[in-house]
């Protein structure tokens, strides 16, 4: 849908002033640089990782107005002075994920990243609102993790009303606790922050690795600052189409999660000798429904109900690395040991730091998705779309709907998403994607590839783990190295065989 002309003009003026504001902030950051020091003791980042701060405007249309500080960290490149190519800046996704652990890939000598580490300082950061960077909050963290929560799958209209009430209260809580930040918690602003970080690092152009939501951040950066990009690698791609951000993207996710859940339950059945859950996919699915029903009737250990089960079990469709541990926990439960399941799926009220981080991550996720785009405000639309989708894709649909429903009553102006496209000076972008990814369905990679001229797409076929570049698959790993080290891409798109399937 086209925005009304008056809005477009007003938005256009604002965009110009924000571009000017970014240039002012970046010039200042380039002069100031970053005062690198040992990281604070409680950040869990040991030497030789160093930490620092970069100041950015809260509102880029007012570059001399209120500033917020973003936490950044780095591990220096391991190669010679001649081999060094600058900084490689990382975002793991979310929205709401912290990139601060990325430099540990150098300090812990991650074999996949050894060649790249010779050429680049690895730089992580907490995006605005996240972690140490002016963190936002929507509810008391200890309340946020309390369990059991309502079963996401509604049995009645009364169940839906209860969930709608919770979602509206959550939206109100965000405004109450973090109101000043909310209008500015957008992907374009985080992309502008990225440009200021680039300048503060002393890099003329940005080298960027974005995973999951980090791919959308990268796509928006490439659109706003095409001639500031040197190398950009995006992995597990959010569909950047304006029609998808963010309501439709979440519905698409529900379909992909069901597909990947079915892949996993089939694998569990094939490995019945190890897990004893069921020797056919149908039997495994029946056991899941039985577990869900039992937890609904009486929460396991008093804390694990259906909502907590989904919170834990969704790890398996997300990441292949969770296939074995998730099945093992389930297997133990069926053998009469519920302790492992309670520990894995229930809250740990003593872990106050972890609970603060979990609540903060959810707050940022909600704030960015709600502010980035207009959401349907009519409950009938949500109800119709999710009821229909749930019939064939029951694993995640309602849980995802309730997580996003605060956006329907968001008390802050919602923006129009950036039209992601190639601009003058944008070099080839490398796109990596598995075919059966649950969190960011494959079509998103195809869409971004079509929008960014000269980009290359590497498809990992018959695979579905989210975040491909950190898995062992030489067909992909070697191309990632070649691109980051020399800017080289294949002359055409590439299909790679899948990485190894997990073994019990």
């Amino acid at each position: 849908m086209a925005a009304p002309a008056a809005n477009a003009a007003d938005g256009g003026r604002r965009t110009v002033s924000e571009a000017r504001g970014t240039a002012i902030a970046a010039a200042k950051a380039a002069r100031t640089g970053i005062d690198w020091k040992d990281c604070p003791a409680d950040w869990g980042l040991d030497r030789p990782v160093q930490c620092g701060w970069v100041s950015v405007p809260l509102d880029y249309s007012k570059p001399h107005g209120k500033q917020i500080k973003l936490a950044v960290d780095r591990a220096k490149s391991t190669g010679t002075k001649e081999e060094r190519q600058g900084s490689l800046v990382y975002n793991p996704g979310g929205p709401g994920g912290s990139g601060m652990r990325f430099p540990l890939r150098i300090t812990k000598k991650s074999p996949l990243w050894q060649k790249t580490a010779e050429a680049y300082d690895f730089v992580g950061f907490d995006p605005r609102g996240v972690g140490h960077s002016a963190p936002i909050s929507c509810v008391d963290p200890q309340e946020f993790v309390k369990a059991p929560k309502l079963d996401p799958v509604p049995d009645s209209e009364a169940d839906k009303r209860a969930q709608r009430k919770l979602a509206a209260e959550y939206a109100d809580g965000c405004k109450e606790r973090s109101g000043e930040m909310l209008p500015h918690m957008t992907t374009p602003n985080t992309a502008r922050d990225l440009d200021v970080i680039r300048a503060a690092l002393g890099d003329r152009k940005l080298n960027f690795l974005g995973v999951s939501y980090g791919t959308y951040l990268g796509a928006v950066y490439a659109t706003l600052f095409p001639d500031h990009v040197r190398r950009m690698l995006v992995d597990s791609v959010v569909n950047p189409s304006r029609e998808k951000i963010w309501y439709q993207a979440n519905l698409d996710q529900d379909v992909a999660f069901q597909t990947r859940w079915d892949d996993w339950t089939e694998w569990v059945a094939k490995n019945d000798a190890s897990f004893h859950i069921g020797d056919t996919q149908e039997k495994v699915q029946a056991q899941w429904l039985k577990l869900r029903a039992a937890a609904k009737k009486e929460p396991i250990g008093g804390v694990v109900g259906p909502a907590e089960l989904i919170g834990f079990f969704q790890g398996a469709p997300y990441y292949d690395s969770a296939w074995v541990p998730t099945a093992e926990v389930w297997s133990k439960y069926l053998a009469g040991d519920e302790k492992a399941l309670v520990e894995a799926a229930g809250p740990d009220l003593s872990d106050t730091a972890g609970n603060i981080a979990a609540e903060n991550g959810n707050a940022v996720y909600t704030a960015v998705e709600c502010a980035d785009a207009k959401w349907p405000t009519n409950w009938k639309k949500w109800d119709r779309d999710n009821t229909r989708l749930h019939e064939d894709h029951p694993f995640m649909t309602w849980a995802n709907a309730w997580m996003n429903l605060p956006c329907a009553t968001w008390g802050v102006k919602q923006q129009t998403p950036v039209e992601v496209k190639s601009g003058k000076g944008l070099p080839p972008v490398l796109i990596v994607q598995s075919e059966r990814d649950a969190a960011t369905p494959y079509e998103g990679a195809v869409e971004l590839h079509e929008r960014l001229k000269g980009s290359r797409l590497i498809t990992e076929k018959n695979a579905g783990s989210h975040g491909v570049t950190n898995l062992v698959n030489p067909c992909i790993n070697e191309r990632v190295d070649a691109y980051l080290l020399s800017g080289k891409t294949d002359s055409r798109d590439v299909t790679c065989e899948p990485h190894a399937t997990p073994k019990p």
Side-chain angles (χ1 to χ4, degrees), residues 214-350:
T215 65
Y216 183 57
L217 174 59
V220 170
Y221 183 92
T223 304
L224 297 180
F225 307 102
D227 57 346
H228 291 192
V229 177
R230 182 174 176 270
R231 306 269 155 81
M232 183 174 284
L233 170 61
V234 290
D235 168 2
S236 305
V237 180
V238 167
N239 193 319
S241 158
R242 277 175 161 178
E243 284 66 49
K244 299 287 188 183
I245 301 292
W246 282 104
Y247 178 75
Q248 188 60 45
N250 280 288
L251 295 176
D252 293 349
Q253 217 178 34
D254 301 334
V255 175
F257 258 101
Q258 189 66 48
T259 304
R260 197 61 184 154
W261 170 258
D262 295 345
D263 289 349
W264 179 66
T265 48
E266 198 175 300
W267 173 88
V268 170
K270 277 190 187 135
N271 290 284
D272 189 52
S274 299
F275 304 123
H276 316 294
I277 295 168
D279 59 8
T280 66
Q281 203 250 336
E282 292 72 24
K283 285 181 190 168
V284 175
Q285 181 62 21
Q287 283 285 15
W288 163 248
L289 295 176
K290 195 172 152 191
L291 173 64
R292 231 186 147 287
K296 186 179 173 93
K297 198 169 164 199
E298 191 175 330
I300 300 155
V303 289
V304 177
E308 290 69 34
L309 286 176
I310 289 172
F312 169 60
F313 275 86
Q314 74 180 21
Y318 243 109
Y319 303 110
D320 290 8
S321 59
W323 279 22
V324 174
T326 308
E328 282 174 348
V329 166
W330 192 2
S331 181
K332 281 179 188 160
Y333 169 81
L334 289 174
D337 168 16
E338 45 176 68
K339 185 169 164 277
L341 183 58
V342 173
E343 280 178 3
D348 177 0
L349 292 172
S350 69

Side-chain angles (χ1 to χ4, degrees), residues 151-187:
D151 182 351
V153 179
D155 289 328
S156 63
E157 287 304 314
D159 286 352
K160 291 176 185 175
R161 278 195 299 274
Q163 294 277 15
R164 289 172 66 190
K165 184 168 177 279
L166 287 174
E169 284 168 359
Y170 185 82
D172 292 345
C174 295
K175 199 168 179 188
E176 205 174 288
R177 293 170 77 101
S178 306
E180 186 189 20
M181 290 280 290
L182 294 188
H184 311 290
M185 288 294 298
T186 65
T187 302

Side-chain angles (χ1 to χ4, degrees), residues 189-472:
N189 276 337
T190 303
R192 295 176 184 115
D193 294 343
L194 195 50
D195 201 53
V196 179
I197 291 170
R198 170 200 62 75
L201 289 165
D203 287 355
R204 207 169 58 79
K205 297 201 170 191
L206 177 73
N207 305 294
F208 180 71
L209 166 59
V211 182
S212 191
Y213 164 76
T215 65
Y216 183 57
L217 174 59
V220 170
Y221 183 92
T223 304
L224 297 180
F225 307 102
D227 57 346
H228 291 192
V229 177
R230 182 174 176 270
R231 306 269 155 81
M232 183 174 284
L233 170 61
V234 290
D235 168 2
S236 305
V237 180
V238 167
N239 193 319
S241 158
R242 277 175 161 178
E243 284 66 49
K244 299 287 188 183
I245 301 292
W246 282 104
Y247 178 75
Q248 188 60 45
N250 280 288
L251 295 176
D252 293 349
Q253 217 178 34
D254 301 334
V255 175
F257 258 101
Q258 189 66 48
T259 304
R260 197 61 184 154
W261 170 258
D262 295 345
D263 289 349
W264 179 66
T265 48
E266 198 175 300
W267 173 88
V268 170
K270 277 190 187 135
N271 290 284
D272 189 52
S274 299
F275 304 123
H276 316 294
I277 295 168
D279 59 8
T280 66
Q281 203 250 336
E282 292 72 24
K283 285 181 190 168
V284 175
Q285 181 62 21
Q287 283 285 15
W288 163 248
L289 295 176
K290 195 172 152 191
L291 173 64
R292 231 186 147 287
K296 186 179 173 93
K297 198 169 164 199
E298 191 175 330
I300 300 155
V303 289
V304 177
E308 290 69 34
L309 286 176
I310 289 172
F312 169 60
F313 275 86
Q314 74 180 21
Y318 243 109
Y319 303 110
D320 290 8
S321 59
W323 279 22
V324 174
T326 308
E328 282 174 348
V329 166
W330 192 2
S331 181
K332 281 179 188 160
Y333 169 81
L334 289 174
D337 168 16
E338 45 176 68
K339 185 169 164 277
L341 183 58
V342 173
E343 280 178 3
D348 177 0
L349 292 172
S350 69
D351 179 17
T352 48
N355 298 337
I356 287 168
E359 190 278 324
N360 169 244
N362 196 76
V364 175
Y365 167 88
T366 311
V368 173
E369 294 211 356
C370 295
D372 262 356
K374 314 277 190 292
W375 285 73
T377 54
N378 181 343
W379 164 247
K380 284 200 179 84
K381 178 171 174 59
W382 288 76
D383 194 19
R384 194 173 57 237
D385 289 347
N386 287 284
T387 301
R388 194 191 68 235
L389 209 55
H390 174 79
E391 283 177 18
D392 294 325
H393 310 93
F395 178 67
M396 274 283 286
T397 298
W398 278 113
N400 208 5
W402 306 126
M403 184 174 172
N404 294 297
L405 190 60
C407 296
T409 59
W410 202 240
V412 175
K413 185 174 186 289
Q414 294 175 324
Q415 307 294 323
T416 301
V418 166
E419 183 65 53
V420 167
K421 59 179 193 285
S422 272
K424 200 172 169 217
L426 184 71
V429 170
L430 187 62
I431 303 168
V432 185
Q433 175 83 28
S434 68
E435 215 173 27
R436 299 175 76 78
D437 190 315
T440 53
Y442 182 72
E443 297 70 40
V446 175
E447 180 74 27
L448 183 63
H449 182 30
E450 282 172 4
R451 284 166 180 262
L452 299 184
K453 286 190 189 71
S455 62
R456 275 288 160 261
L457 173 60
I458 300 176
T459 302
E460 190 185 25
K461 70 172 189 194
N462 301 325
S465 205
H466 186 62
V468 178
T469 49
N470 216 20
L471 300 172
V472 176

Side-chain angles (χ1 to χ4, degrees), residues 22-76:
T22 311
I24 291 167
K28 187 177 152 198
R31 288 193 301 273
T32 313
I34 300 170
D35 182 13
W36 295 108
K37 292 190 162 74
D38 287 349
C39 300
D42 59 347
W43 287 17
L45 299 162
D46 298 336
R47 273 198 281 192
V49 176
Q50 298 170 301
C51 290
W53 300 94
V54 175
S55 282
V56 298
L58 177 62
D59 180 348
Y60 277 95
S61 69
K62 298 173 185 155
H64 304 294
K66 184 181 162 95
Q67 306 288 306
I68 54 174
K69 283 177 139 177
L70 306 180
V72 291
D73 67 341
R74 73 167 179 191
K76 284 181 154 170

